[in-house]
Amino acid sequence: MGVSTGINQRLRTQRIETPSWAYGNSGTRFKVFAQPGVPRTVEEKIDDAAQVHAFTGVAPSIALHIPWDKVDDYSGLAKYAESAGLRIGTINSNVFQDDDYKLGSVTNPDPRIRAKALDHLLECVDIMDATGSRDLKLWFSDGTNYPGQDDIRARQDRLAEALAAVYRRLGPHQRMLLEYKLFEPAFYTTDVPDWGTAYAHCVELGEQAQVCVDTGHHAPGTNIEFIVAFLLRAGKLGAFDFNSRFYADDDLMVGAADPFQLFRIMYEVVRGGGYEADAGIAFMLDQCHNIEPKIPGQIRSVCNVQEATAKALLVDSEALAAAQRAGDVIAANDVFMDAYKTDVRPILAELRTEMGLEEDPLAAYQRSGYAERIVAERVGGHQAGWGA
């Protein structure tokens, strides 16, 4: 069996989830640039996500964000997704876009507001039941801006109480994914600022609580692959939010800023057993395409993850282990770099041909006429956008 054949057999099993909000208009706090043909409904977001899957073959699910994707009939929405060749993936909660949450949601000093936030999180579990979704992702913007503004320890107690209530509501095959973020919008303290805080809460909760690593949510220079390796070793890595950043949480296309970092992360995933189907890790994109077209941005991102994964699978583990045992620093690094420097595009082109797909997903999409069709058809109504 050739190298490409062995790699392709493993790459066939890869699954990358795309987020509904990536198909809508998005931007920065300074400006949102609207684009023609942007979805106006969650069903149109599903239609666009189906295009990404059709041309890549490895993106069969779409994550929802509530209430951005709120509908009256979630089981009907799941059937609509199924008719488009997709399934509903992660349900993302939103307790950061209501005026009540100015001083926090589940950690707010006001018990009425904490109850309101908890009710929303429990509503998201109801949506999981209706859609057949496995994962609930929790991200909190909660924190403080000034020393003395609130009791830091009391906020952790409130957070733990809310997480425990949601955890008790989970079904036996459902999971809670706790995301973290270094800063923003809270500038002095953030209630879940890092992987250690998220990990500690998840350990306290139990096996169905795991950490979500957003690759843009770290201080510059942070060794994300170490975090990945640690969480895999502890059995607490539940998901990725893949994006790329230069300075802060930029939500750019994954691999755009540092493709070598993406390779290093995927190597640790492979090394730690996280690529195996039974590992259960959700590989999701979390991106906002501000100036690039939405569907091509998602296709390019999926391809970037595929390329990094293929290179990670090419690392000669036996040669690497031998060099490590011998203490041969140069040889060990050579093995690692040989895999990274390999042009895996022919391997992926061969894989797509075997799957009955075009070799170049982005070029195939651009030839399909879908972009022109949605621009012509999606006239009128209210375009979806970040926060819409």
Side-chain angles (χ1 to χ4, degrees), residues 109-380:
D110 186 336
R112 179 190 66 82
I113 295 176
R114 295 202 300 273
K116 174 180 175 177
L118 179 58
D119 285 345
H120 169 69
L121 301 184
L122 296 175
E123 174 196 14
C124 287
V125 183
D126 293 338
I127 294 169
M128 293 167 66
D129 292 339
T131 58
S133 176
R134 179 190 63 173
D135 295 335
L136 170 67
K137 189 187 299 170
L138 306 177
W139 174 72
F140 301 102
S141 65
D142 296 31
T144 63
N145 279 5
Y146 296 97
Q149 176 183 324
D150 199 5
D151 188 314
I152 294 174
R153 178 166 174 166
R155 292 179 75 90
Q156 288 298 308
D157 291 339
R158 298 167 199 155
L159 173 64
E161 181 181 357
L163 292 176
V166 178
Y167 189 84
R168 289 192 296 268
R169 172 64 183 80
L170 295 176
H173 303 296
Q174 294 174 334
R175 306 187 309 173
M176 171 193 297
L177 304 174
L178 183 56
E179 190 175 353
Y180 56 90
K181 189 174 183 181
L182 177 66
F183 80 106
E184 193 192 39
F187 297 123
Y188 174 59
T189 64
T190 301
D191 291 328
V192 189
D194 51 40
W195 69 272
T197 306
Y199 171 75
H201 280 286
C202 288
V203 167
E204 185 175 345
L205 289 165
E207 292 184 358
Q208 290 171 258
Q210 298 200 313
V211 179
C212 173
V213 174
D214 186 308
T215 52
H217 285 187
H218 304 86
T222 297
N223 190 317
I224 300 175
E225 56 268 32
F226 170 82
I227 299 169
V228 170
F230 184 97
L231 292 174
L232 277 169
R233 181 177 180 273
K236 280 296 181 184
L237 180 60
F240 282 99
D241 276 4
F242 279 129
N243 53 55
S244 198
R245 47 77 67 86
F246 288 98
Y247 296 106
D249 182 23
D250 302 334
D251 276 351
L252 300 175
M253 291 186 295
V254 62
D258 188 354
F260 185 45
Q261 180 191 65
L262 181 59
F263 161 73
R264 300 193 309 263
I265 290 170
M266 290 310 302
Y267 169 74
E268 292 301 335
V269 170
V270 172
R271 163 66 181 84
Y275 189 68
E276 306 306 321
D278 59 0
I281 296 175
F283 298 95
M284 198 195 83
L285 305 178
D286 179 16
Q287 299 170 185
C288 293
H289 302 294
N290 301 342
I291 58 175
E292 67 272 30
K294 316 300 180 181
I295 297 173
Q298 290 289 277
I299 291 175
R300 173 62 58 81
S301 299
V302 169
C303 292
N304 287 350
V305 176
Q306 282 185 299
E307 289 186 18
T309 305
K311 292 180 178 184
L313 291 169
L314 281 173
V315 173
D316 188 335
S317 57
E318 292 184 4
L320 182 61
Q324 290 170 344
R325 286 193 301 269
D328 193 332
V329 176
I330 298 298
N333 185 247
D334 281 345
V335 172
F336 207 66
M337 295 307 298
D338 282 346
Y340 176 67
K341 293 175 181 177
T342 301
D343 184 358
V344 296
R345 289 175 297 179
I347 295 176
L348 289 169
E350 179 182 314
L351 168 67
R352 293 173 186 132
T353 300
E354 292 172 359
M355 295 173 65
L357 303 172
E358 295 282 346
E359 291 185 0
D360 185 337
L362 186 54
Y365 168 75
Q366 291 169 334
R367 291 194 303 268
S368 72
Y370 184 82
E372 293 78 10
R373 179 162 65 83
I374 60 176
V375 167
E377 292 178 352
R378 294 176 183 174
V379 178

Side-chain angles (χ1 to χ4, degrees), residues 57-97:
V58 296
S61 61
I62 180 172
L64 301 184
H65 211 299
I66 309 300
W68 301 348
D69 298 316
K70 194 175 182 67
V71 296
D72 293 329
D73 181 5
Y74 288 101
S75 60
L77 187 66
K79 291 176 182 176
Y80 184 88
E82 185 178 356
S83 71
L86 299 179
R87 63 175 177 82
I88 302 299
T90 307
I91 303 299
N92 293 260
S93 60
N94 184 323
V95 285
F96 54 88
Q97 280 190 313

